[in-house]
Amino acid sequence: MSDQFHRHLVASSAFSEDDREAVYRAIMTRRDVRDQFLDDPVPDDVLQRLLQAAHAAPSVGFMQPWNFIVVRSAERREAVWQAFSRANDEAAAMFADEQQARYRSLKLEGIRKAPVGICITCDPDRAGPLVLGRTHNARMDSYSTVCAVQNMWLAARAEGIGIGWVSIFHQQDLRDILGIPESIEIIGWFCLGYVDALYDQPELAIKGWRQRLPLEQLVFDEAWGRSRG
């Protein structure tokens, strides 16, 4: 490696035990918050830290395809909720009997209750038509943007802020409300706000929707379907 690049290398080692535990705690206690938001405003400096954490995410070909539309306006959040509500009624009708009743019992009020909404988008043209690492998988820009989502989510957990991911809407509705061009992919709407309590397990597991799968069922050894050990 030439001296030109070697000078950018810095020493790296494992985190201290306390720091390592803090990282794993954020991962294991992160929750998708649907209804438990407080009214407390999110200060600008805190929001800036969350956005900076998101922007520090890895991206294939360093394309950085994300944008963040920060929405505090109650009127605009209400318009987004109305778009969600229409789509949510459609989604509920897709389930049958007991599952539909369980679906309708879920409280999905974060869009109106959380003081901040962020629409995260992906610009597939950000790095031009030919992107290192995207040559054989056109979806790497979307995957990269989801890494930014996860960074923001974990940083929010460390700040005592809950996040809820809303994906139930027609993209055109959000395009109309937020002025998003057709060429831009909408990854999701994210509700942000302080919380003073979180479920000790994923809410959908507690409420009987699905349970976490055992890790051993999901890890193969050397090739698909080969159990470890």
Side-chain angles (χ1 to χ4, degrees), residues 31-37 110 153 161-165 191 193 195 197-198 203:
R31 294 290 176 260
D32 190 0
V33 180
R34 292 173 171 79
D35 189 54
Q36 294 81 35
F37 294 103
W153 216 327
I161 290 174
I163 289 185
W165 185 338
C191 311
V195 292
L198 290 170
E203 183 178 354

Side-chain angles (χ1 to χ4, degrees), residues 55-95:
H55 187 45
S59 61
V60 172
F62 203 38
M63 68 179 85
Q64 305 162 74
W66 41 72
N67 280 93
F68 310 94
I69 305 174
V70 179
V71 179
R72 297 184 186 271
S73 159
E75 292 78 13
R76 201 177 298 268
R77 287 188 287 114
E78 176 65 24
V80 172
W81 185 87
Q82 293 293 342
F84 155 78
S85 183
R86 291 190 296 270
N88 194 51
D89 286 342
E90 295 170 3
M94 297 177 189
F95 298 98

Side-chain angles (χ1 to χ4, degrees), residues 16 30 34 36 43 58 80 91 94 107 114 117 141 164 171 173 181 189 192 198 202-203 211 224:
S16 70
R30 180 214 57 79
R34 292 173 171 79
Q36 294 81 35
V80 172
M94 297 177 189
K107 291 186 177 181
D141 42 32
Q171 291 222 353
D173 287 343
W189 174 276
L192 278 76
L198 290 170
E203 183 178 354
Q211 299 303 310
W224 182 270

Side-chain angles (χ1 to χ4, degrees), residues 143-212:
Y143 301 157
S144 296
T145 306
V146 173
C147 289
V149 172
Q150 181 76 339
N151 267 23
M152 183 178 72
W153 216 327
L154 295 178
R157 178 66 190 92
E159 298 276 4
I161 290 174
I163 289 185
W165 185 338
V166 181
S167 59
I168 303 171
F169 51 78
H170 293 289
Q171 291 222 353
Q172 190 58 51
D173 287 343
L174 259 63
R175 292 188 194 283
D176 294 341
I177 295 167
L178 302 174
I180 299 172
E182 289 293 333
S183 61
I184 302 300
E185 179 186 5
I186 299 172
I187 298 298
W189 174 276
F190 298 85
C191 311
L192 278 76
Y194 284 102
V195 292
D196 59 7
L198 290 170
Y199 286 110
D200 60 1
Q201 303 172 49
E203 183 178 354
L204 293 184
I206 291 173
K207 295 184 176 179
W209 191 261
R210 283 182 64 85
Q211 299 303 310
R212 190 179 300 281

